[in-house]
């Protein structure tokens, strides 16, 4: 509810307030809302034009919000509610400031100047000005009743075992210390970050319904899903529920590493939790779209609205200075221990996935969305043991070393350009790292300068379960109707975009029964991840068709 609404009506129109008649049409209403959003944002009060009050009780709030959303081409979301003033029911509409200039349906770009709508000059010379932090916004109608005490208790439970004085504070001080409650003219109100972290179901639906997450489980690797659940709860509650949904369909493989037994999960809980928190923390809450999580047998895809923050791309996300789209929300999550302040979430995902013999996370960035894919093609047990042994032997075993070893184990070999792309570093920045790894007998180089090729050293290959034999001599007079089986060395070195190898796979998949990962591994001398990577490449290329319900039952057909 708006405090002092009657005083606001008496004061009349201002640069942040417009008073309209109930007779205003949807097009005109949308023009005023867009003009207000292009200026400072503020309030539309319907039923109070010229100081003459009209009863607006026949107008449903959803009529207002839907009309403005549709007539702004889906770019402007408002909140509307009825409120009593001078004995009449008026409609109060809260309009947020737009992060960029909006146009009306007829193409006009207008702004409210306090008296009238005026065209904005020099539109094309003006750069979009993003609102500093949308989650810091305090909705005018928000109040302490929007906070759920049970969710505040959930936030407190997350502090158990942490050296933090936050848990000793009373609820109001606790939320103020997290910047989730702010003082507005002497009244404590939650901002959007506070509602996102501890809001009631009603507050979430009223103030920020786009915070919803949709989870889909696909029993097979196709577009049809077998289960769906839509969640609109405070962020910590949704993270807990998503953990239950994913773990219910997750499985692990036990692995003995020295004296220790570890569990290698299809989808590591720490990895997907970090990925989900990153999506919720960095998404653009000004967009009406929701977060989508697709759980397939061979991958987990997390898509969130809003492109990557300024300057960050899929090609530099591992190295770029962290950018926080929602600083208030991010800081609260960090203080409560959900995420790291230093922005090491991506590093952590890389580290865990590669240590467990899996592929690195895959980011796909669009103008208005980001998708993170966590692949599950199985895992390389020997690589897991190799990494554990090397981490025990070496005092310094960096993430960069792990990226290089994982790449060479999966791809067989790589030049400096390949490794620089995998490391997301300039080529001249990786020379010292590669020299160090050569000195430690982890990798070996052939060639000079930019023509250098790197592969795992003999000692590393031995620990990984074998060495690469030289090509066997060809027997004269030997003939066969089937293509000869390539030796391990000719396959592993450059097995992607290898025409001879792709022909072998397609011929194998042309059989009535098709082929499978295990069959190709035995035939080609590749490991499970190399074979999975090759098969994905051929499916994406259109040479193969994938069919199956799980990694072990999937078959491929030409």
């Amino acid at each position: 509810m708006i405090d002092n609404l009657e005083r606001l009506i008496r004061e009349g129109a201002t640069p942040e307030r417009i008073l309209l008649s109930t007779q205003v049409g949807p097009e005109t209403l949308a023009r005023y809302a867009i003009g207000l959003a292009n200026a400072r944002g503020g309030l539309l009060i319907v039923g109070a034009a010229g100081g003459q009050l009209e009863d607006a009780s026949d107008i449903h709030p959803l009529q207002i919000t839907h009309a403005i959303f549709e007539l702004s081409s889906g770019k402007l979301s408002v909140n509307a509610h009825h409120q009593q003033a001078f004995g009449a029911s008026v409609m109060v509409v809260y309009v947020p400031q737009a992060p960029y200039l909006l146009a009306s349906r007829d193409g006009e770009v207008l702004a409210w100047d306090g008296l009238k709508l005026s065209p904005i000059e020099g539109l094309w010379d003006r750069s979009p000005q993003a609102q500093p932090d949308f989650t810091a916004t305090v909705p005018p109608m928000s109040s302490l009743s929007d906070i759920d005490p049970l969710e505040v208790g959930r936030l407190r439970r997350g502090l158990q075992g942490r050296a933090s004085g936050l848990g000793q504070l009373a609820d109001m001080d606790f939320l103020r210390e997290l910047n989730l409650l702010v003082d507005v003219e002497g009244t404590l109100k939650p901002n959007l970050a506070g509602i996102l972290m501890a809001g009631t179901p009603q507050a979430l639906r009223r103030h920020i319904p786009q915070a919803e997450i949709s989870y889909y489980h696909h029993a097979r690797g196709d577009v049809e899903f077998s289960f769906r659940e839509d969640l609109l709860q405070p962020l910590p509650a949704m993270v807990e529920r998503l953990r239950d949904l994913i773990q219910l369909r997750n499985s692990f493989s036990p692995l003995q590493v020295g004296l220790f037994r570890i569990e290698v999960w299809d989808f590591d809980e720490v990895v997907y939790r970090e990925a989900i928190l990153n999506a919720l923390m960095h998404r653009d809450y000004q967009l009406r779209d929701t977060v989508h999580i697709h759980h397939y047998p061979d991958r987990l895809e997390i898509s969130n609205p809003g492109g990557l923050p300024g300057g960050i791309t899929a090609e530099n996300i591992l190295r770029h200075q962290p950018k926080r789209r929602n600083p208030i929300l991010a800081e609260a999550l960090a203080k409560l221990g959900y995420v790291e302040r230093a922005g090491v979430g991506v590093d952590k995902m890389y580290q865990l996935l590669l240590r467990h013999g899996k592929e690195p996370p895959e980011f796909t960035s669009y103008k208005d969305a980001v998708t993170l894919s966590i692949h599950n093609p199985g895992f390389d047990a020997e690589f897991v043991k190799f990494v554990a042994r090397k981490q025990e032997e070496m005092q310094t075993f960096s993430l960069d070393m792990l990226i290089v070893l994982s790449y060479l184990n999966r791809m067989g070999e790589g030049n400096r350009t390949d490794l620089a792309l995998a490391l997301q570093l300039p080529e001249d920045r990786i020379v010292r790292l590669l020299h160090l790894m050569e000195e430690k007998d982890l990798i070996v180089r052939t060639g000079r300068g930019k023509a250098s090729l790197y592969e795992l050293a003999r000692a590393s290959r031995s620990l990984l379960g074998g060495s690469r034999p030289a090509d066997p001599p060809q027997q004269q007079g030997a003939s066969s109707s089937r293509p000869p089986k390539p030796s391990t060395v000719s396959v592993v070195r450059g097995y992607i975009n290898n025409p001879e190898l792709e022909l072998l796979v397609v011929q194998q998949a042309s059989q009535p029964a098709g082929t499978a990962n295990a069959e190709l591994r035995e035939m080609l001398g590749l490991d499970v991840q190399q074979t999975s990577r090759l098969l994905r490449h051929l499916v994406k290329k259109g040479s193969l068709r994938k069919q199956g319900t799980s990694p072990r039952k999937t078959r491929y057909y030409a």
Side-chain angles (χ1 to χ4, degrees):
M1 307 298 284
I2 299 295
D3 297 330
N4 303 315
L5 178 61
E6 294 182 352
R7 175 177 61 80
L8 298 181
I9 292 174
R10 281 197 300 267
E11 291 175 355
T14 70
E16 297 178 349
R17 186 163 61 248
I18 303 175
L19 278 57
L20 298 172
S21 166
T22 56
Q23 303 304 310
V24 67
E27 293 274 0
T28 303
L29 177 67
R31 285 166 62 85
Y32 278 110
I34 289 170
L36 197 56
N38 282 339
R40 302 179 185 178
L43 298 177
L44 294 175
I45 304 176
V46 181
Q52 299 298 315
L53 293 181
E54 304 171 273
D55 183 28
S57 59
D58 289 342
I59 305 174
H60 196 283
L62 288 179
Q63 290 178 271
I64 300 288
T65 57
H66 181 74
I68 293 174
F69 181 73
E70 289 296 322
L71 295 171
S72 65
S73 301
K75 293 183 173 63
L76 181 58
S77 298
V78 301
N79 286 312
H81 73 283
H82 288 109
Q83 187 168 338
Q84 292 293 317
F86 301 111
S89 177
V90 299
M91 178 72 71
V92 179
V93 183
Y94 168 65
V95 181
Q97 184 182 26
Y100 44 79
L101 295 176
L102 304 176
S104 61
R105 175 170 278 189
D106 57 10
E108 283 190 284
V109 180
L110 305 170
W112 175 252
D113 64 7
L115 295 174
K116 63 184 183 305
L117 292 173
S118 302
I120 293 179
E121 303 295 337
L123 168 64
W124 306 115
D125 297 328
R126 178 172 166 182
S127 300
Q129 298 295 313
Q131 189 166 313
D133 184 358
F134 185 65
T135 63
T137 303
V138 179
M141 295 84 79
S142 70
S143 67
L144 289 178
S145 64
D146 289 328
I147 296 297
D148 188 337
L150 295 177
E151 294 301 329
V152 177
R154 189 194 302 272
L155 299 183
R156 288 183 176 281
R157 289 196 299 275
L159 289 170
Q160 291 177 359
R162 291 174 55 85
S164 172
L166 281 173
Q168 309 304 316
L169 299 175
D171 281 358
M172 294 298 109
D173 294 330
F174 174 72
L175 294 174
R176 290 186 73 176
E177 185 65 23
L178 292 170
N179 292 318
L180 303 179
L181 283 184
V182 294
D183 190 314
V184 180
E185 298 180 353
T187 302
L188 281 179
K189 291 188 173 188
N191 52 26
L192 286 178
I195 295 169
L196 284 168
M197 292 295 289
T200 64
Q202 296 82 2
L204 287 163
R205 284 195 297 270
R206 183 167 63 249
H207 297 300
I208 191 156
Q210 63 269 35
E212 184 179 69
I213 299 177
S214 295
Y215 169 86
Y216 308 83
H217 180 251
H218 303 255
R220 297 178 296 179
D222 52 29
V223 295
E224 295 295 329
F225 57 87
S226 54
F227 174 84
R228 171 177 176 171
E229 183 167 326
D230 297 319
L231 307 172
L232 182 57
Q233 301 169 279
L235 303 192
M238 289 198 290
V239 171
E240 291 181 16
R241 176 56 182 160
L242 287 167
R243 186 257 180 205
D244 293 340
L245 290 171
I246 294 172
Q247 287 299 104
L248 181 65
R249 299 161 177 86
N250 209 358
S251 60
F252 69 88
S253 300
L255 183 64
Q256 194 72 31
V257 180
L259 298 176
F260 301 96
R261 179 181 181 272
I262 65 173
E263 297 174 349
V264 180
W265 288 84
D266 289 349
F267 302 103
D268 187 277
E269 181 182 348
V270 175
V271 173
Y272 70 68
R273 184 177 185 271
E274 196 72 35
I276 292 169
L277 282 166
N278 275 348
L280 299 179
M281 181 170 59
H282 296 303
R283 64 150 292 174
D284 188 345
Y285 283 99
Q286 295 183 87
L287 299 178
R288 294 274 295 189
D289 300 316
T290 62
V291 171
H292 295 272
I293 299 177
H294 290 270
H295 185 172
Y296 296 92
D298 62 347
R299 68 192 185 279
L300 196 65
E301 292 183 351
I302 302 169
S303 300
N304 59 289
L308 290 167
I312 299 179
T313 67
E315 290 73 34
N316 69 12
I317 193 168
L318 188 59
R319 305 293 172 179
H320 201 286
Q321 181 72 16
K323 293 275 186 82
R324 300 183 301 179
R325 177 176 274 127
N326 306 301
I328 297 293
L329 181 62
E331 190 66 20
L333 287 166
K335 286 181 177 179
L336 292 166
Y338 285 96
V339 297
E340 301 285 347
R341 268 195 184 88
V344 296
V346 176
D347 300 50
K348 185 188 292 186
M349 286 189 280
Y350 264 81
Q351 187 85 247
L352 285 170
L353 287 169
L354 299 185
R355 270 175 46 198
H356 287 167
K358 294 177 178 286
E359 297 181 12
E362 179 185 359
F363 292 87
T364 306
S365 179
Y366 308 94
K367 182 179 179 181
D368 57 356
V370 180
T371 297
L372 168 59
S373 300
I374 302 169
H375 293 287
N376 174 43
F379 72 101
D380 188 333
E382 295 304 319
F383 188 76
V384 177
K385 296 177 183 178
F386 168 74
V387 170
R389 189 177 294 115
K390 285 299 177 183
Q391 285 181 317
E392 186 177 347
E393 292 175 2
M394 299 168 57
Q395 292 184 348
T396 56
F397 192 81
S398 66
L399 174 59
D400 288 347
M401 288 184 176
L402 187 55
I403 290 172
V404 171
L405 291 172
S406 173
Y407 181 90
L408 295 179
N409 184 54
R410 287 181 286 115
M411 304 300 291
E413 68 176 13
N415 57 32
R416 284 186 186 172
T417 302
D418 298 328
L419 296 175
L421 289 173
L423 289 161
Q424 298 188 5
L425 286 170
E427 285 189 43
D428 58 357
R429 291 269 307 279
I430 71 170
V431 175
R432 181 178 298 179
L433 169 69
L434 297 176
H435 283 330
L436 177 62
M437 295 183 70
E438 286 183 74
E439 290 173 1
K440 293 184 177 294
D441 201 25
L442 293 170
I443 63 175
V444 65
R445 172 175 57 91
T446 58
R448 291 178 176 273
K450 291 190 175 182
S452 298
L453 282 176
Y454 297 86
E455 59 183 36
L456 295 176
R458 184 179 296 274
S460 299
R461 296 200 305 268
S462 177
L463 290 173
L464 284 166
S467 60
R468 293 184 196 146
D471 289 336
Q474 185 175 358
Q475 297 181 2
Q476 294 186 1
S479 63
S480 172
S481 59
R482 292 184 60 187
K485 174 183 172 180
S487 66
T488 304
V489 67
S490 65
V491 172
V492 172
R493 296 174 68 127
Y495 67 92
I496 298 293
N497 290 320
N498 182 324
E500 178 186 355
L501 183 60
E502 291 184 4
L503 178 61
L504 287 173
V505 175
V506 171
Q507 287 179 341
Q508 182 75 7
S510 297
Q511 301 176 67
T515 190
N517 187 303
E519 296 165 10
L520 290 173
R521 290 204 307 271
E522 182 179 356
M523 185 180 85
L524 303 176
L526 298 175
D527 63 31
V528 62
Q529 291 201 20
Q530 291 169 333
T531 308
S532 296
R533 187 179 180 89
L534 175 59
L535 286 167
R536 278 207 308 274
H537 169 73
L538 291 174
V539 169
K540 187 175 182 180
K541 189 177 177 181
S543 302
L544 295 182
R545 176 172 49 86
K546 179 180 175 182
Q547 182 176 316
T549 59
S550 71
R552 291 182 178 86
K553 296 180 180 179
T554 298
R555 298 195 68 80
Y556 297 83
Y557 300 87

